[in-house]
Amino acid sequence: MSLRLRTGLLSFLLATSLIGPAPLAAAAPPPSAEQIIQVTGQALITSTTASARQAALDNAIRSAVEQVLGAYVQSSSSLKTTDEFEKFQQQLMKRSDGFGRVVQVLAENQNNNTYTVSVRVAVARPTLEHELKAFLARKGDPRIIVAIPEQILRRPTPDPAAETEIQRALITAGYRVVDLKQAEKNNVRDVVRGTVSAQGLQELATRYQADLLITGEAFAEEYGNVLGQRAYTARLELKVIDLATAQIIFSDAFTGTGMSATDSVAGKTALQNVAKVAAPNLPKALLTWLSGSGQAASRTFSVRLSGVPSFKVFSETLASLRNTQGVHAALSRQYDAAGTLVEVEFDGSPEDLAVALEDLGLKVTGLSAGEISVSY
């Protein structure tokens, strides 16, 4: 799988490989491309009032950019970020004036040695998101299957509303959603309705050349009339699975409602609305997986080895791999006539691990966001 982001990769993630100081285009983006944030900025008065006022405005712009960035990656005590990503954020904030501009000053005052401004800032979301996406480009460009079985209780479901909304959000965000034919979609939904084994997930990955599966269950149920409209409530249980390792990287449940003059439209609207509630949680989950940060284990890659001359050589390779910088664990999952499989916990990108494997004398024959094929 190619690891280059497609032209036009879009609206939620991040930036040119650790950001050089190249200037941004001077022209302001169109209003539709901006998000207006109301913030407060402060600065100490160390020389003139005018310079303190400008410093307070700059502080407000940085705060607004941080808020928009936080919509994608919200740091907390429960979320670790890699040193590389922290460095990226610091570089980004140094250029915050290129992503935002003050469009309205609401209030300003001087209190002792502090100058404070309350302003509205227009943040150029596409420019900021382009920076974020370029950062992820070095981490891999996963192919994603979205298959969410859903139903409107006691009524037929004409087509998948929640699944469609999640797909739309991912595509809008620039992710590569696997385009399945209707029969293939039905097949995948049937698979995920049952108990999916690790082997079954790997078969999905192989068959559709995919890296991640977004699945779960969605249903909508009537709860009465509201102002002459049919009212439905919906629940969406959503999880994201790394197909190479069967590791669940995100799991949560959401609720929503919908109303319409007819039952079928009200049920579909409720399913679509609950998916809209869930979709904003996916960027951080995918970023965490791509960057190898978070509370869970480091990002795990499947390494398939072919042409292994002997078990002794295989054991020596494992030992060398475990001593490689950035590798936290290398576990043998399969060694037989059918092939050899190793799961590797690694801090870097797929390309970084591929280079490390070649440094061990192996030949890389295949590469995706979650799996690397090598031969002796």
Side-chain angles (χ1 to χ4, degrees):
M1 181 190 78
S2 170
L3 294 174
R4 294 174 299 173
L5 285 177
R6 296 167 302 156
T7 302
L9 258 211
L10 85 92
S11 75
F12 354 109
L13 299 173
L14 341 277
T16 44
S17 76
L18 278 199
I19 301 201
L24 297 171
S32 61
E34 296 178 327
Q35 179 177 349
I36 305 299
I37 305 290
Q38 183 172 326
V39 291
T40 298
Q42 291 184 328
L44 293 176
I45 302 174
T46 58
S47 56
T48 66
T49 301
S51 62
R53 181 180 187 274
Q54 183 58 52
L57 292 173
D58 293 340
N59 178 255
I61 292 174
R62 282 193 297 273
S63 178
V65 172
E66 285 177 344
Q67 283 191 38
V68 175
L69 180 63
Y72 304 112
V73 187
Q74 189 175 11
S75 59
S76 68
S77 59
S78 63
L79 178 64
K80 297 181 295 181
T81 57
T82 62
D83 291 341
E84 183 181 12
F85 187 68
E86 288 179 353
K87 182 178 179 181
F88 159 76
Q89 288 178 300
Q90 293 169 4
Q91 296 273 6
L92 201 63
M93 287 304 102
K94 289 179 180 179
R95 301 165 54 209
S96 59
D97 58 345
F99 303 110
R101 59 189 180 90
V102 175
V103 294
Q104 184 181 9
V105 176
L106 302 174
E108 53 187 309
N109 64 78
Q110 177 181 340
N111 185 11
N112 296 327
N113 292 327
T114 303
Y115 200 95
T116 303
V117 295
S118 177
V119 297
R120 294 184 188 273
V121 176
V123 179
R125 289 173 58 101
T127 305
L128 179 62
E129 291 159 358
H130 172 75
E131 296 285 338
L132 297 174
K133 287 178 290 188
F135 174 83
L136 289 187
R138 299 181 301 107
K139 296 294 183 181
D141 181 15
R143 284 167 55 87
I144 303 171
I145 296 175
V146 180
I148 305 173
E150 58 189 72
Q151 61 176 320
I152 300 175
L153 298 183
R154 296 183 295 278
R155 297 185 183 278
T157 306
D159 51 70
E163 179 182 284
T164 301
E165 179 60 29
I166 294 295
Q167 287 178 326
R168 184 204 63 76
L170 290 170
I171 292 170
T172 301
Y175 286 100
R176 299 202 297 169
V177 176
V178 178
D179 184 16
L180 299 180
K181 297 178 181 178
Q182 189 59 51
E184 294 173 326
K185 286 184 179 180
N186 293 337
N187 176 62
V188 175
R189 291 191 200 109
D190 289 341
V191 170
V192 300
R193 279 189 178 99
T195 301
V196 185
S197 64
Q199 182 179 353
L201 293 172
Q202 289 174 2
E203 289 174 353
L204 287 178
T206 301
R207 181 172 181 179
Y208 300 113
Q209 293 296 296
D211 303 293
L212 295 173
L213 170 66
I214 296 180
T215 187
E217 184 180 13
F219 66 86
E221 185 175 19
E222 175 189 358
Y223 69 83
N225 288 299
V226 176
L227 301 176
Q229 298 277 298
R230 306 299 294 164
Y232 275 67
T233 183
R235 177 180 171 87
L236 170 62
E237 297 173 0
L238 197 64
K239 57 185 175 181
V240 182
I241 303 174
D242 181 348
L243 289 173
T245 63
Q247 181 183 10
I248 297 175
I249 64 174
F250 175 83
S251 180
D252 207 344
F254 307 88
T255 58
T257 59
M259 293 189 297
S260 182
T262 64
D263 288 288
S264 59
V265 175
K268 282 176 61 63
T269 300
L271 289 168
Q272 183 180 27
N273 287 344
V274 73
K276 288 180 178 179
V277 173
N281 293 271
L282 293 176
K284 186 173 76 172
L286 298 179
L287 173 62
T288 298
W289 178 77
L290 282 166
S291 63
S293 61
Q295 282 187 308
S298 300
R299 185 176 170 191
T300 303
F301 298 89
S302 290
V303 178
R304 296 188 178 275
L305 301 98
S306 61
V308 183
S310 68
F311 186 77
K312 180 181 179 181
V313 172
F314 173 63
S315 298
E316 292 172 348
T317 300
L318 272 182
S320 298
L321 185 56
R322 287 167 182 153
N323 290 324
T324 299
Q325 185 176 0
V327 173
H328 296 281
L331 306 175
S332 175
R333 294 303 188 194
Q334 179 182 344
Y335 181 88
D336 54 33
T340 305
L341 176 65
V342 176
E343 288 185 358
V344 181
E345 288 185 18
F346 183 66
D347 281 340
S349 68
E351 300 98 319
D352 295 334
L353 180 55
V355 171
L357 291 167
E358 290 199 332
D359 287 343
L360 297 179
L362 301 169
K363 180 181 179 181
V364 175
T365 58
L367 182 66
S368 75
E371 183 173 300
I372 301 173
S373 298
V374 299
S375 63
Y376 281 82

